[in-house]
Amino acid sequence: MVNQSKLGNSNLIVNPIGLGTNAVGGHNIYPDLSDETGKEIIRTAIKHGINFFDTAFIYGPERSEELIGEVLKEEGRRESVVLATKGAHKFVDDKIEIDNSPAFLTETVERSLKRLQTDYIDLFYIHFPDEDTPKDEAVGALKDLKDQGKIKSIGVSNFTLDQLKEANKDGYVDVLQSEYNLFKREAEKELLPYTTQHNITFVPYFPLAAGLLAGKYTKDTTFEDGRASNPMFQGDEFLSNLEKVEQVRKIADAKGVEVAHLVLSWYLTRSSINALIPGAKTPEQVKNNLKTLDVELTPLEIVMIDEIFQ
């Protein structure tokens, strides 16, 4: 498998297996996180060759960026990593609002720079679209920051096709981050063709479908978090999904690899997907994610996995 990928039209080169860091300092997402464990996750990733880190203001909030900044400064490794963060959220009277205005995006980049203890961000995403700001104006503000050297490339996240087209009117968008996995393939209809046509890297989030595509659940598994109300994890749909995962497991077993590694490897065969950001809650999971790079899928296996989930 290719061990280097170029992000869109940028000059950024990454290991195709990066690290999503919502469990590093993401105290508002996961209970009982240890900041020291979070920092060790980052150290382990760097030690084992991961150079693409994905964080966001809302992870914590703020704490994920702070912890990553601390580690990169301690390790003296800022220049050797590609650092991506996201902004658009703001707190107004203790409520979260989404703001894509040029003034706010400029302000949120400045604040992220301080938390990350760096003078540039490699990839800055607009995390969510707001309802009012023209998307080309929002991206235009990021282009100004790019011209100033404060960011090196521009991304958008959770944008519809129409919003992406508007955002990319001047060809400034390098990366789209959006939900995509073998169970949720809507992006194949419009977003993946568009990103392929315009050389925009597509970075999928939730690639393992909240653990379902990691092959770690059985029909007796019960859920007490948000999955408990998700139809994917309920009743006949859950049982049907498990059957599909078991079909993938047969292919994985024959290759001597884990289901998760097989699934992640399959994504990297899709047009415009050349980088992944699986998360990790422990240093061991970081090292395990990297085993994806050892998987070589045959053309037949690629088709077989595709057809299981059609």
Side-chain angles (χ1 to χ4, degrees):
M1 182 178 289
V2 176
N3 60 8
Q4 284 193 324
S5 297
K6 183 171 178 285
L7 297 180
N9 293 306
S10 76
N11 294 318
L12 301 175
I13 306 296
V14 301
N15 182 326
I17 299 299
L19 179 67
T21 65
N22 64 3
V24 175
H27 299 285
N28 57 337
I29 301 171
Y30 300 105
D32 305 320
L33 289 179
S34 159
D35 281 357
E36 188 50 48
T37 299
K39 292 172 73 171
E40 190 58 32
I41 286 171
I42 302 300
R43 295 187 194 104
T44 300
I46 294 171
K47 180 179 178 181
H48 289 85
I50 290 176
N51 72 333
F52 184 28
F53 295 90
D54 180 273
T55 185
F57 157 78
I58 202 62
Y59 302 165
E62 304 183 353
R63 191 59 179 146
S64 181
E65 289 183 323
E66 292 170 349
L67 293 175
I68 292 170
E70 289 173 20
V71 173
L72 293 180
K73 187 171 184 178
E74 291 166 4
E75 299 283 319
R77 299 297 295 274
R78 176 64 188 96
E79 299 298 325
S80 64
V81 306
V82 172
L83 192 52
T85 192
K86 303 181 283 292
H89 298 83
K90 66 179 182 181
F91 289 92
V92 178
D93 298 328
D94 295 326
K95 294 182 179 179
I96 295 177
E97 296 183 2
I98 302 298
D99 190 344
N100 294 175
S101 68
F104 179 74
L105 290 176
T106 301
E107 175 187 339
T108 202
V109 166
E110 293 289 353
R111 292 181 176 179
S112 286
L113 287 167
K114 291 179 181 177
R115 287 189 291 269
L116 291 163
Q117 300 189 52
T118 183
D119 55 7
Y120 69 95
I121 293 165
D122 295 286
L123 169 58
F124 185 86
Y125 293 95
I126 300 173
H127 201 163
F128 282 88
D130 69 11
E131 296 181 358
D132 303 315
T133 309
K135 300 306 159 230
D136 55 327
E137 288 185 16
V139 168
L142 297 185
K143 176 61 165 59
D144 290 341
L145 292 168
K146 182 178 177 181
D147 291 342
Q148 296 168 37
K150 293 183 177 180
I151 66 176
K152 290 192 173 184
S153 63
I154 295 169
V156 296
S157 182
N158 300 295
F159 276 40
T160 65
L161 178 64
D162 286 343
Q163 290 167 336
L164 175 59
K165 287 180 176 178
E166 184 181 358
N168 196 44
K169 189 172 75 173
D170 299 306
Y172 295 150
V173 176
D174 297 300
V175 183
L176 169 70
Q177 187 173 140
S178 194
E179 183 172 9
Y180 176 69
N181 59 59
L182 280 162
F183 288 118
K184 293 185 70 69
R185 301 178 66 172
E186 292 87 349
E188 294 176 359
K189 298 175 184 176
E190 296 179 329
L191 290 175
L192 281 172
Y194 181 87
T195 53
T196 300
Q197 179 183 356
H198 294 272
N199 196 31
I200 295 171
T201 287
F202 185 107
V203 176
Y205 66 78
F206 295 151
L208 296 177
L212 187 52
L213 285 164
K216 61 183 182 181
Y217 302 141
T218 72
K219 61 182 178 60
D220 297 318
T221 305
T222 57
F223 304 98
E224 296 180 356
D225 54 16
R227 287 168 292 192
S229 58
N230 186 328
M232 284 179 60
F233 298 90
Q234 293 180 326
D236 290 342
E237 184 172 343
F238 181 49
L239 295 178
S240 174
N241 291 340
L242 288 177
E243 289 177 9
K244 293 175 181 177
V245 174
E246 288 309 305
Q247 292 180 61
V248 175
R249 193 187 305 278
K250 292 177 183 177
I251 302 172
D253 288 347
K255 296 180 76 68
V257 301
E258 295 179 21
V259 171
H261 302 145
L262 194 79
V263 169
L264 293 174
S265 180
W266 186 86
Y267 295 138
L268 291 172
T269 70
R270 304 295 90 188
S271 62
S272 81
I273 297 179
N274 60 3
L276 303 173
I277 49 169
K281 293 181 182 177
T282 66
E284 290 70 27
Q285 288 176 351
V286 173
K287 291 184 281 188
N288 191 49
N289 288 340
L290 283 167
K291 293 179 182 178
T292 300
L293 297 174
D294 298 327
V295 178
E296 292 286 348
L297 292 175
T298 68
L300 177 59
E301 289 165 344
I302 292 169
V303 171
M304 289 171 64
I305 295 168
D306 186 21
E307 290 180 345
I308 289 169
F309 292 89
Q310 286 291 353

